[in-house]
Amino acid sequence: DLGQVGEELDLPVYAVGGFVRDLLLGIENCDIDVTIEGDGILFATTFAAKFGCRVKSHVKFGTAVIVFPDGTKIDVASTRLEYYASPGALPTVERSSLKMDLYRRDFTINTLAIRLNSPDFGVLIDYFGAQRDLQERVLRVLHNLSFVEDPTRVFRAIRFEQRLDFHIAKHTENLIKNAVKMNFLDKLGGKRLLSELVHILTENDPLRAVDRLASLGLLRFIHPDLFLTKPVRRNMEEAVRIVSWFELLFLDRRYEKWAVYFLTLTGTLSNDEFLATCNRLAVNEHYREKLFESRRQAGTMLEIMQRKVARGIPVLRSDIYFWLKALPVELLLFMMASTTSADVKKFISLYITQLQNVRTMLNGKELQRLGVPAGPRIRELLDVLLTARLNNEVLSREDEER
Ligand code: CTP
């Protein structure tokens, strides 16, 4: 259909980038990027009108997103940019070719294109040796200034290396080292740095990527005192294991996997250093305070639990419940990854798998009906009932009423 609209408008249409890369690698990828040799916005609006889709266009960049009724999206780019340099001025039009468009990309493996309309329908276009690099599983930039132009590409290189099980080419690695030495990454805005970090830490097994960040000296752009020391690395390994354990529980609950790894990686930073890290990453104030407060609380709770275990003091199921109930799941998983006590780990896993779901049978209203006066007494009684239930001292509604 894309090709058909291209033919009607007499515009060459190409599928490009990650979609083609993954097609050749046999990896599923539903994000289709197309580039139009000509006016991409005209193409997108024509396509959308014909197939009942919505369009969001960015005239300045000559790009548009076609959104299908089911939410599927197609990104459309143009090799022809038309923009107004100043209000009221005539539009500036820049023409370039598909080859120029592809040359601006990050790595050779992302520069493949497939023609989607005749006369060359289905032809694979490879200007920069992408097929060879795909075969050799190598990540290679197109030119020496690639990382200077866009330092986020350093992180993208590491992410692709881990995800696709590729290798960064020697010369490309040297360019990264050079960018590190020249501190180009200091220029990277906090938001973009955070976004790259989140991407990396959301991958299935981020450990190899984190190792790379450390060995290339990239962690210091997040915080000068952030190091992947042996204990931190051990905790990261543990975090990977715990995240997969948690996902196998199928609790069907949304959580931020990256935050578990982020907290683990920054686990040995002081409070001030942690705040400075959040500021460097432009974490918004609300989220920063939330993270900071629960990180502090997690530390306190870990200490309490470890102390009890060390002294052999018996721990009740209700103790565990009230220690942990205020903590978000990301923090609980981080605590599991960073404690060295097997008992404490068991406490937290017991909380996640069972205790957090324990409820009293009676609620506040019913207590009032049974004659308890409204006020703080109700809350206290409910906690007493919950404690008894957590410790298996009451098993039925009748027990609770008594
Ligand atoms: N790109 C780039 N430099 C960047 C970001 C993106 O050159 N800093 C290019 C890449 O060549 C990429 C395309 O823009 O193919 C689209 O970017 P994106 O959707 O982020 O990349 P994908 O390759 O599709 O990766 P993913 O599978 O993670 O979506």
Side-chain angles (χ1 to χ4, degrees):
D1 294 345
L2 289 163
Q4 194 191 327
V5 173
E7 248 147 71
E8 281 166 23
L9 296 172
D10 199 20
L11 292 172
V13 180
Y14 304 90
V16 292
F19 175 77
V20 184
R21 173 198 73 214
D22 288 346
L23 192 69
L24 266 70
L25 288 172
I27 299 172
E28 193 182 332
N29 185 340
C30 302
D31 297 332
I32 303 182
D33 289 311
V34 298
T35 290
I36 311 299
E37 226 168 351
D39 189 342
I41 293 179
L42 172 69
F43 174 87
T45 43
T46 310
F47 182 93
K50 195 163 173 164
F51 294 99
C53 307
R54 286 184 301 123
V55 194
K56 283 187 264 179
S57 34
H58 300 277
V59 178
K60 194 172 162 204
F61 300 108
T63 60
V65 186
I66 302 174
V67 187
F68 286 80
D70 72 351
T72 312
K73 290 177 185 161
I74 298 179
D75 281 308
V76 180
S78 321
T79 59
R80 173 178 183 268
L81 292 182
E82 184 171 323
Y83 55 87
Y84 296 84
S86 62
L90 287 173
T92 311
V93 180
E94 257 183 32
R95 275 165 202 282
S96 84
S97 62
L98 177 70
K99 187 169 179 181
M100 271 310 292
D101 182 75
L102 295 171
Y103 185 67
R104 281 196 286 265
R105 290 172 183 255
D106 48 3
F107 307 110
T108 57
I109 59 163
N110 290 333
T111 62
L112 286 165
I114 297 177
R115 176 81 184 238
L116 295 181
N117 53 357
S118 54
D120 299 318
F121 177 82
V123 169
L124 179 70
I125 298 161
D126 181 1
Y127 289 120
F128 306 107
Q131 290 175 91
R132 181 201 56 213
D133 287 344
L134 277 178
Q135 214 129 47
E136 292 173 8
R137 308 186 83 78
V138 166
L139 283 156
R140 196 191 307 278
V141 286
L142 285 111
H143 55 83
N144 289 351
L145 293 179
S146 194
F147 296 119
V148 180
E149 272 170 16
D150 182 353
T152 59
R153 289 175 173 170
V154 171
F155 294 89
R156 289 174 62 86
I158 291 172
R159 173 156 60 95
F160 283 129
E161 187 180 49
Q162 183 274 332
R163 187 207 299 172
L164 303 174
D165 196 17
F166 272 43
H167 225 84
I168 298 174
K170 197 75 217 149
H171 179 61
T172 298
E173 188 176 324
N174 286 335
L175 293 173
I176 293 181
K177 288 180 178 159
N178 203 44
V180 169
K181 207 159 61 199
M182 310 280 279
N183 292 327
F184 286 130
L185 285 105
D186 280 336
K187 296 199 184 72
L188 199 56
K191 269 214 173 90
R192 297 191 71 199
L193 183 55
L194 176 63
S195 149
E196 290 305 321
L197 193 62
V198 169
H199 263 108
I200 283 182
L201 298 180
T202 305
E203 294 285 335
N204 271 338
D205 180 359
L207 208 52
R208 180 173 168 208
V210 172
D211 280 338
R212 259 305 207 181
L213 289 177
S215 66
L216 289 169
L218 289 159
L219 294 178
R220 76 176 158 89
F221 296 101
I222 301 170
H223 190 282
D225 293 312
L226 188 60
F227 298 105
L228 191 66
T229 57
K230 270 213 176 109
V232 172
R233 192 178 188 286
R234 237 190 349 256
N235 291 349
M236 287 296 285
E237 266 175 44
E238 194 56 18
V240 171
R241 261 198 296 275
I242 281 159
V243 162
S244 30
W245 165 80
F246 181 72
E247 295 194 341
L248 282 175
L249 297 174
F250 296 113
L251 294 183
D252 201 24
R253 157 132 39 105
R254 276 184 49 83
Y255 78 114
E256 312 258 9
K257 176 161 75 170
W258 72 270
V260 180
Y261 295 127
F262 177 69
L263 288 161
T264 308
L265 186 63
T266 55
T268 52
L269 293 184
S270 69
N271 285 344
D272 284 346
E273 289 165 346
F274 183 76
L275 281 179
T277 304
C278 290
N279 288 336
R280 168 66 182 103
L281 297 174
V283 175
N284 76 47
E285 193 180 326
H286 172 75
Y287 195 57
R288 187 190 63 207
E289 289 311 310
K290 201 177 121 185
L291 265 182
F292 180 74
E293 186 42 42
S294 27
R295 178 184 190 262
R296 214 185 43 74
Q297 223 175 336
T300 313
M301 293 310 161
L302 271 182
E303 253 171 55
I304 293 179
M305 290 192 282
Q306 281 161 0
R307 210 176 317 126
K308 297 241 179 201
V309 168
R311 294 190 186 151
I313 301 172
V315 169
L316 295 173
R317 288 156 57 97
S318 56
D319 293 335
I320 301 173
Y321 179 90
F322 288 104
W323 285 331
L324 300 181
K325 75 169 202 177
L327 290 167
V329 68
E330 290 83 357
L331 265 295
L332 296 173
L333 299 176
F334 153 65
M335 286 162 79
M336 284 180 81
S338 54
T339 180
T340 47
S341 156
D343 288 308
V344 170
K345 219 171 274 202
K346 265 189 226 143
F347 294 163
I348 306 172
S349 73
L350 181 69
Y351 175 81
I352 292 175
T353 53
Q354 298 180 26
L355 305 182
Q356 65 171 339
N357 302 314
V358 174
R359 300 278 178 275
T360 55
M361 291 249 159
L362 295 173
N363 60 30
K365 275 218 177 74
E366 288 168 308
L367 282 182
Q368 278 186 33
R369 232 184 310 123
L370 287 169
V372 184
R377 185 80 190 115
I378 299 267
R379 178 79 263 146
E380 279 167 35
L381 257 182
L382 282 175
D383 277 351
V384 171
L385 286 178
L386 184 60
T387 303
R389 189 166 276 281
L390 283 162
N391 295 333
N392 294 323
E393 290 158 9
V394 297
L395 299 168
S396 66
R397 195 181 177 94
E398 289 71 39
D399 284 347
E400 282 193 6
E401 289 180 357
R402 243 180 282 130

Short mmCIF file of all heavy atoms in Angstrom, two decimals, residues 17-18 21-22 29 31 33 104-106 110 150 152-153 156 159-160 163 192, ligand 1:
data_model
loop_
_atom_site.label_atom_id
_atom_site.label_comp_id
_atom_site.label_asym_id
_atom_site.label_seq_id
_atom_site.Cartn_x
_atom_site.Cartn_y
_atom_site.Cartn_z
N GLY A 17 16.42 1.80 7.58
CA GLY A 17 16.84 1.77 8.98
C GLY A 17 16.63 0.46 9.70
O GLY A 17 16.77 -0.63 9.12
N GLY A 18 16.25 0.58 10.98
CA GLY A 18 16.15 -0.57 11.88
C GLY A 18 15.24 -1.67 11.35
O GLY A 18 15.50 -2.86 11.56
N ARG A 21 17.23 -3.61 8.76
CA ARG A 21 18.28 -4.32 9.51
C ARG A 21 17.71 -5.57 10.17
O ARG A 21 18.23 -6.68 10.00
CB ARG A 21 18.84 -3.36 10.58
CG ARG A 21 19.81 -3.97 11.56
CD ARG A 21 19.94 -3.10 12.80
NE ARG A 21 18.75 -3.19 13.63
CZ ARG A 21 18.25 -2.18 14.36
NH1 ARG A 21 18.82 -1.00 14.37
NH2 ARG A 21 17.16 -2.37 15.08
N ASP A 22 16.60 -5.41 10.87
CA ASP A 22 16.02 -6.54 11.59
C ASP A 22 15.43 -7.58 10.64
O ASP A 22 15.46 -8.77 10.92
CB ASP A 22 14.97 -6.05 12.59
CG ASP A 22 15.62 -5.35 13.79
OD1 ASP A 22 16.85 -5.48 13.95
OD2 ASP A 22 14.91 -4.67 14.56
N ASN A 29 10.26 -6.79 13.95
CA ASN A 29 10.31 -5.35 14.24
C ASN A 29 9.09 -4.71 13.59
O ASN A 29 8.93 -4.72 12.39
CB ASN A 29 11.61 -4.75 13.67
CG ASN A 29 11.77 -3.27 14.04
OD1 ASN A 29 10.80 -2.59 14.38
ND2 ASN A 29 12.99 -2.79 13.99
N ASP A 31 8.21 -1.53 13.98
CA ASP A 31 8.36 -0.09 13.71
C ASP A 31 8.88 0.10 12.29
O ASP A 31 10.06 -0.12 12.03
CB ASP A 31 9.41 0.54 14.65
CG ASP A 31 8.98 0.45 16.08
OD1 ASP A 31 7.76 0.42 16.31
OD2 ASP A 31 9.85 0.41 16.97
N ASP A 33 10.02 2.36 9.33
CA ASP A 33 10.46 3.70 8.96
C ASP A 33 10.51 3.76 7.45
O ASP A 33 11.14 2.90 6.83
CB ASP A 33 11.86 3.99 9.50
CG ASP A 33 11.86 4.17 11.01
OD1 ASP A 33 11.02 4.93 11.50
OD2 ASP A 33 12.68 3.53 11.68
N ARG A 104 23.68 10.19 6.86
CA ARG A 104 23.58 10.91 8.14
C ARG A 104 23.31 9.99 9.32
O ARG A 104 23.20 10.44 10.45
CB ARG A 104 22.44 11.93 8.05
CG ARG A 104 22.83 13.20 7.31
CD ARG A 104 21.85 14.30 7.57
NE ARG A 104 20.59 14.10 6.85
CZ ARG A 104 20.33 14.65 5.67
NH1 ARG A 104 21.21 15.44 5.11
NH2 ARG A 104 19.19 14.42 5.05
N ARG A 105 23.14 8.73 9.07
CA ARG A 105 22.75 7.82 10.15
C ARG A 105 23.93 7.35 11.00
O ARG A 105 25.07 7.62 10.69
CB ARG A 105 22.00 6.63 9.57
CG ARG A 105 20.67 7.10 9.08
CD ARG A 105 19.91 6.07 8.33
NE ARG A 105 18.69 6.71 7.86
CZ ARG A 105 17.49 6.51 8.40
NH1 ARG A 105 17.34 5.65 9.37
NH2 ARG A 105 16.44 7.16 7.94
N ASP A 106 23.57 6.63 12.09
CA ASP A 106 24.58 6.29 13.08
C ASP A 106 25.55 5.19 12.66
O ASP A 106 26.76 5.38 12.69
CB ASP A 106 23.93 5.96 14.43
CG ASP A 106 22.77 4.99 14.32
OD1 ASP A 106 22.49 4.51 13.19
OD2 ASP A 106 22.14 4.69 15.35
N ASN A 110 22.43 0.38 9.92
CA ASN A 110 21.15 1.08 9.87
C ASN A 110 20.96 1.87 8.57
O ASN A 110 20.07 2.70 8.48
CB ASN A 110 21.03 2.05 11.06
CG ASN A 110 20.86 1.30 12.37
OD1 ASN A 110 20.34 0.19 12.38
ND2 ASN A 110 21.31 1.90 13.46
N ASP A 150 26.74 13.60 17.35
CA ASP A 150 25.67 13.11 18.21
C ASP A 150 26.22 12.11 19.22
O ASP A 150 26.31 10.92 18.96
CB ASP A 150 24.58 12.46 17.35
CG ASP A 150 23.41 12.00 18.18
OD1 ASP A 150 23.50 12.06 19.43
OD2 ASP A 150 22.40 11.56 17.60
N THR A 152 24.95 10.74 21.71
CA THR A 152 24.09 9.63 22.17
C THR A 152 24.45 8.34 21.42
O THR A 152 24.15 7.25 21.88
CB THR A 152 22.59 9.89 21.95
OG1 THR A 152 22.35 10.09 20.57
CG2 THR A 152 22.09 11.07 22.74
N ARG A 153 25.08 8.50 20.28
CA ARG A 153 25.43 7.31 19.49
C ARG A 153 26.40 6.39 20.21
O ARG A 153 26.45 5.20 19.94
CB ARG A 153 26.01 7.75 18.15
CG ARG A 153 24.96 8.35 17.25
CD ARG A 153 25.54 8.88 15.98
NE ARG A 153 24.45 9.29 15.08
CZ ARG A 153 24.64 9.98 13.98
NH1 ARG A 153 25.87 10.32 13.63
NH2 ARG A 153 23.61 10.30 13.21
N ARG A 156 24.14 4.25 21.99
CA ARG A 156 23.43 3.38 21.04
C ARG A 156 24.35 2.24 20.59
O ARG A 156 23.90 1.10 20.45
CB ARG A 156 22.96 4.18 19.82
CG ARG A 156 21.81 5.12 20.14
CD ARG A 156 21.46 6.01 18.96
NE ARG A 156 21.01 5.27 17.78
CZ ARG A 156 19.75 4.88 17.57
NH1 ARG A 156 18.82 5.15 18.45
NH2 ARG A 156 19.43 4.23 16.47
N ARG A 159 24.35 -0.30 23.24
CA ARG A 159 23.06 -1.00 23.33
C ARG A 159 22.90 -2.01 22.20
O ARG A 159 22.51 -3.16 22.42
CB ARG A 159 21.93 0.02 23.28
CG ARG A 159 20.55 -0.56 23.19
CD ARG A 159 19.51 0.39 23.71
NE ARG A 159 19.49 1.64 22.98
CZ ARG A 159 18.66 1.89 21.96
NH1 ARG A 159 17.80 0.96 21.58
NH2 ARG A 159 18.68 3.03 21.35
N PHE A 160 23.24 -1.61 20.96
CA PHE A 160 23.11 -2.54 19.83
C PHE A 160 24.07 -3.71 19.99
O PHE A 160 23.76 -4.85 19.66
CB PHE A 160 23.39 -1.83 18.51
CG PHE A 160 22.25 -0.97 18.03
CD1 PHE A 160 22.46 0.34 17.67
CD2 PHE A 160 20.96 -1.48 17.94
CE1 PHE A 160 21.41 1.14 17.22
CE2 PHE A 160 19.90 -0.69 17.49
CZ PHE A 160 20.14 0.62 17.13
N ARG A 163 22.39 -5.96 22.46
CA ARG A 163 21.12 -6.54 22.04
C ARG A 163 21.26 -7.50 20.85
O ARG A 163 20.68 -8.57 20.81
CB ARG A 163 20.13 -5.44 21.66
CG ARG A 163 18.76 -6.03 21.38
CD ARG A 163 17.93 -5.23 20.43
NE ARG A 163 17.66 -3.90 20.93
CZ ARG A 163 17.08 -2.97 20.17
NH1 ARG A 163 16.75 -3.22 18.94
NH2 ARG A 163 16.87 -1.77 20.66
N ARG A 192 18.57 13.51 27.47
CA ARG A 192 19.00 12.54 26.45
C ARG A 192 19.87 11.46 27.07
O ARG A 192 19.77 10.29 26.72
CB ARG A 192 19.74 13.26 25.32
CG ARG A 192 18.83 14.25 24.59
CD ARG A 192 19.47 14.76 23.33
NE ARG A 192 19.52 13.74 22.30
CZ ARG A 192 20.34 13.79 21.25
NH1 ARG A 192 21.16 14.81 21.12
NH2 ARG A 192 20.34 12.85 20.36
N1 CTP B 1 19.61 7.42 14.29
C1 CTP B 1 20.84 8.05 14.21
N2 CTP B 1 21.38 8.66 15.32
C2 CTP B 1 20.71 8.65 16.50
C3 CTP B 1 19.46 8.03 16.58
C4 CTP B 1 18.94 7.41 15.45
O1 CTP B 1 21.45 8.05 13.17
N3 CTP B 1 21.24 9.23 17.56
C5 CTP B 1 19.06 6.75 13.08
C6 CTP B 1 19.42 5.27 13.05
O2 CTP B 1 20.10 4.99 11.88
C7 CTP B 1 18.11 4.53 13.10
C8 CTP B 1 17.04 5.58 12.83
O3 CTP B 1 17.65 6.84 13.06
O4 CTP B 1 18.04 3.48 12.19
C9 CTP B 1 15.81 5.40 13.68
O5 CTP B 1 16.15 5.51 15.06
P1 CTP B 1 15.56 4.52 16.15
O6 CTP B 1 14.13 4.25 15.86
O7 CTP B 1 15.96 5.03 17.46
O8 CTP B 1 16.48 3.25 15.88
P2 CTP B 1 16.22 1.76 15.42
O9 CTP B 1 17.41 1.41 14.61
O10 CTP B 1 14.88 1.56 14.82
O11 CTP B 1 16.39 1.02 16.80
P3 CTP B 1 15.33 0.35 17.74
O12 CTP B 1 15.26 -1.05 17.23
O13 CTP B 1 15.96 0.45 19.09
O14 CTP B 1 14.06 1.13 17.59
#
